Every structure is written in structure tokens, then in C-alpha cells.
Amino acid sequence: MTGMAAAASSLGRSGALEITRRLTAICGPPFARLGGPADEVAGRPARWVAVPGGPHAAAEVLRLAATHDLAVVPRGAGTKIDWGATPVQVDIMLDTGRLAGIGHEPVGAPVAEVGAGTPLRAVQATLERTGQRLAMDAPSPGATLGGVLAAGEAGPLRHRHGSPCDQLLGVRYLGADGELVSAGGGEPGLDLARLLCGSQGALGVLVSASLRVQPVPASRLWVSRPVWTPLEVHDLVRTILAARLEPAAIELDLPAGAPRPRTPYPPGHPATTARERHPSMSGRSGAPSRAGSLVVLLEGGRPDVTERAERLVGLLHGEATVAHSAPPWWRRYPFAPGDTALRLEVPISDLHAAVYALRDAAGAPVPVRGSAGLGVVHAALPGALAPDRVASILAAVRGVLLARQGRCVVVSAPAPVRQAVDLWGELAGLAQLRAAKEHLDPEHRLAPGRLPGGL
């Protein structure tokens, strides 16, 4: 049992009632309570839930936790609360829902300060009234800005604009001791601010973030092309990038399935045999039962976007189509609750090798979706797979990716799998992460165990 766990368990009934009383005094009677069945972090239940009304109240919660040596885990909308490792202890779940709002900036200002607990879709709806937007489109429905940053989440627009963390101009956050810190305004400050991205709340509690704002594009068109194999995707992505069409996103959806695609030609026809002899089909059992899609988003002025779309259709040949709205799978993950969710990151020239390695290790195609133009995709393994089977698949895929400077991370998984496998694989920045944890949270009070290496 850790020191914090021992301290928490030794509080006794009177001590627990005192913590409840203090949290109620800090947050207000409706906003402090004992944890319930819905208040878990990757399977670990919280003892208390506190919803502070502002940064100063949140700081008081953290100071209370420090006094009693209690672990604190921040929570936004909870859309990604099961991502990452299970913390070793969750005494107080600090809900950021009331750390919300958008700072008053002049209309048309290139920056917005947004409270960490503000739902991203509310931010976009507010900015759109003045013809502006944040160039971010995280897939989690209802996600807060703080949750997106803390999880390092990004959507299709990362292709052109970078991830939300890349767009940070500064943050305000609370340290483990409750000190309110502002970071930004220059490279050293931004380096510190971006350390909090992807930290799952284990380095600090985000209070607000300042982000770049841009005008809403006058026109958006989605150019879609059916695809059957990863190698075909590789060739098409190279063609698209070489054309310098300035795509806002290049997204891939490859479904799972078994039968080979049908062709309009009879068996033995030259076109059929040519498809079967194509290197992308060679040695691969089980192409998808339906075509996948490679979709390119083009944004900008209307005449320019129309002209670029026409050029792209010509490059992708007659099978390409143009639409004024996104396909149904756009900004959606390929995994469902209960699946083992994977994220693969690899140089785009090796993305096809990563997907083939995953298929070969799993013994069949698995659903893959994500940013083909960046080499960052997600995949799903069935939740019913035995943990040792998942471990063997991960080992095979990571072996292929290691030689290609790529990595495969388990984003979320059922409890038996989470306990049996290495979620991260090799991590080059572990020493830097360890140093940051020791500097920002030396007592390991914030989400202990959420980070790689048990940090």
C-alpha cells in the first residue's frame, strides 16, 4: 500500500466526515459529495467528488488534499476517463465543470482564453457567431477543452493546423500544492505549458488555456476515394501530398471484414487477375468486405476550393467523388466501449507496413481509422480477446514499428487486458517525463500511476 493509500485508509469515519465537511465548505453543498458508481478512473473508484466554482476554490481543494496526503485526479466531461493506466489511488476527483467560460477578447482577436471545463463544442458555437473558430475537432463528443489537452487528443484538422497542444499560446494551471501558475509568453513557458498536454492531469490541474483563433473557412469540400488495401492508401497519399493542394485533412477509414471485393469482370478476366496480382493483395488473406475510404478535406475561398477539388478528382481518377459534408465516420474512433483501443504512430511512408503488421498479427483485418496524411491512426481489437493474445499482437506490431521509428500505444482496454499488457511500449521521453513529475508533483499526489513508468 502506498503512503497516500495508507493515509487515506487511516482517516477513519470521523476523518472522512471532516474531509466531506471541508470540501462542502469550499465548493458549496451541491458540489461536494461522496463518490458513486459513475465516479471511477479506469476502474478505480473515487472516494469524494469536488466541483470547485473557480481557480481559488480548486486551489483550496488541492491544499486540503496536500494536508491529508490525498490523491487528486482531475476530470472534465469524463469522455476519456478510461484512457491510460489505472491510477494507484483516487481519493478526490476534482471535476472541472465549473472552471468554464470564454474570456472577453475584442471581436476578431487572434486569441481566445478558454476555461478548462468548457465543452469544446460550446467554444466553437460561441466563436462562430463572430465568424471565427478554433482549428481543432477532437472526436470525443462533449469533451471539454481541458480534457482534450490533458489527453493529447486531436482530430482530422491536425493535418494542417497541428494538434490542440500545438496551438497553445499559454495556460494557467494549479500545481499539486495549489499554487496558480501561468505558463506561456515565450519558448520556455510554452515548453512547460505543453508538458501538461497528454499528462492525464498527473502534472497539474488545467484552469484555462489561451489558443489561436482563425476565421471560419468560406468553403469546405470533402473528396472521397474508395480504397481496398493499405498499400493502395500509401500510393494515393503520396500522390495527394506531392500535388501540393494544401489539404486541411487526409483521413482513412479501413473496415474489418473477410471477402475480397467484387469486380464487374468475370473470373479470369485480365482486370480481375491484375487486381489479384497487385502487390497490395499479395499474401494478404481477407481484404475488407466493403471498400474503405480515403477522404481529403479542402478548405478556403469558394473558387479556390472548387478548383483544388477538381484537380484532386483528376489525380484520383474516376472513382473519386466530391461532397459538401463529411462522411458519417469522420471524427469518430473505430473502437467501441469494451474494445482494446490502439493508437499507431509511424512515418507516413511506413503506415501501410504498420497496418499490415497489425492484420497479420491479429490473423484478420481490424478496423483502422485516422490521419493517413500524418501516419497517426487508431485501431480496435475485440474486447473478448484474451489478454495473452492481445500481448502477442502488441509484441508483433511493436517489433515492426520499432525498426520504422513508430510506436503502438494502448489507449484503453478492458481491465484484464490493461493489467496484463504494457500500455505504452518503449518510450524515448520517459526520463524527461520522470524529471517533470519530480519537479511539478514531487509527492505524486496528482493522478499517481497514470503516466508511463508508474509515475
Side-chain angles (χ1 to χ4, degrees), residues 21 47 69 125 146 149 165 185 190 334 362 371 414 416 420 437 440 442:
R21 186 191 69 78
R47 296 188 67 184
D69 208 13
L149 295 173
C165 293
L190 277 178
S371 297
K437 181 70 171 177
L440 296 172

Side-chain angles (χ1 to χ4, degrees), residues 400-414:
V400 171
L401 293 182
L402 185 62
R404 292 169 167 80
Q405 298 182 315
R407 60 193 301 246
C408 176
V409 173
V410 179
V411 175
S412 64

Side-chain angles (χ1 to χ4, degrees), residues 198-253:
S199 69
Q200 299 283 6
L203 298 179
V205 179
L206 285 167
V207 170
S208 66
S210 296
L211 299 134
R212 290 196 294 269
V213 172
Q214 62 174 231
V216 173
S219 179
R220 308 180 86 199
L221 290 177
W222 284 261
V223 180
S224 302
R225 165 71 148 74
V227 291
W228 293 102
T229 68
L231 187 56
E232 184 182 13
V233 172
H234 169 267
D235 295 343
L236 290 170
V237 169
R238 286 182 60 186
T239 299
I240 294 165
L241 294 177
R244 301 186 182 278
L245 295 170
E246 298 183 359
I250 304 176
E251 291 287 299
L252 169 68
D253 176 46

Side-chain angles (χ1 to χ4, degrees), residues 253-322:
D253 176 46
L254 279 179
R260 293 277 178 88
R262 294 179 180 177
T263 75
Y265 308 104
H269 188 281
T272 303
T273 54
R275 176 188 285 271
E276 290 172 350
R277 287 198 305 267
H278 191 277
S280 65
M281 305 294 268
S282 173
R284 306 292 170 185
S285 61
S289 56
R290 65 178 176 86
S293 297
L294 186 67
V295 179
V296 180
L297 170 61
L298 301 172
E299 295 183 331
R302 188 164 283 106
D304 174 61
V305 168
T306 299
E307 187 271 335
R308 283 188 284 146
E310 290 172 353
R311 285 172 55 200
L312 183 55
V313 168
L315 286 171
L316 301 180
H317 308 299
E319 296 174 275
T321 58
V322 180

Side-chain angles (χ1 to χ4, degrees), residues 71-219:
V72 178
V73 177
R75 176 180 69 181
T79 57
K80 296 170 287 296
I81 201 69
D82 289 332
W83 285 24
T86 301
V88 297
Q89 189 76 16
V90 186
D91 295 314
I92 300 175
M93 179 177 284
L94 196 159
D95 190 305
T96 64
R98 296 169 73 199
L99 304 179
I102 302 174
H104 295 288
E105 302 286 346
V107 173
V111 61
E113 184 177 7
V114 182
T118 315
L120 186 55
R121 60 189 175 193
V123 180
Q124 300 289 33
T126 301
L127 291 174
E128 281 173 11
R129 294 174 193 155
T130 60
Q132 297 175 299
R133 71 170 184 180
L134 298 178
M136 54 183 69
D137 51 355
S140 299
T144 63
L145 176 66
V148 168
L149 295 173
E153 189 179 25
L157 287 177
R158 76 183 119 188
H159 178 90
R160 183 170 185 182
H161 302 284
S163 71
C165 293
D166 294 330
Q167 300 176 51
L168 274 181
L169 299 175
V171 297
R172 290 196 304 153
Y173 71 95
L174 291 164
D177 58 359
E179 180 185 1
L180 183 61
V181 181
S182 295
E187 282 308 312
L190 277 178
D191 288 344
L192 176 59
R194 286 170 180 159
L195 264 180
L196 300 178
C197 292
S199 69
Q200 299 283 6
L203 298 179
V205 179
L206 285 167
V207 170
S208 66
S210 296
L211 299 134
R212 290 196 294 269
V213 172
Q214 62 174 231
V216 173
S219 179

